[in-house]
Amino acid sequence: MFQRLYPWDYVDSAYEIDFERLRGEGYRGIIFDIDNTLVPHGAPADARACAFFSGLKELGYRCMALSNNREPRVKPFCDTVGIPYICKADKPKPGNYRRAMERMKTGTSDTLFVGDQIFTDICGANLAGIRTILVKPIHPKEEIQIVLKRYLEKPVLFCYRRFRRNEERKMKMRKTAQK
């Protein structure tokens, strides 16, 4: 029922993702949400974010920010870390995910999306056909509408974890049967 909302991967932080491994798997572009994915909501780009994007560029990634926020929030962050952006993205509609891929000259098979919200970030990227990585929010302080969505995310995450456990169990059974 919720599978359209499930991320491909779920990790604690964008900063712990093994982007070198993903590069080896053929990924060349990464679209990021900003608030509570890379920095706390409304915070400016910090030294950690700058070093992070510098490292991704060294690996050869094309990066872009996709945010539902307005330009006065998005532009300063992206200018500081040196990546292009699309603001007022109207997530979860998939159109601006596709536009981001066009601008990065990537496609659905070599683009990743990293974000912290299921109903906007992950749903939209899934609709656009992009591999999704859900991260836990960096900071608990959020706007009220996001706090309310977090309560709705809980049953989705519960089902997602159960789904993943079942998939892992099936894989183990297949491997055992092949031996």
Side-chain angles (χ1 to χ4, degrees), residues 66 91 93-101 113 120-121 124-125 128:
L66 187 66
K91 295 182 284 184
K93 292 181 181 176
N96 279 318
Y97 292 85
R98 293 184 187 114
R99 190 168 145 224
M101 287 186 286
F113 181 86
T120 52
D121 298 330

Side-chain angles (χ1 to χ4, degrees), residues 44-56:
D46 55 16
R48 182 183 188 193
C50 291
F52 177 68
F53 282 101
S54 177
L56 291 174

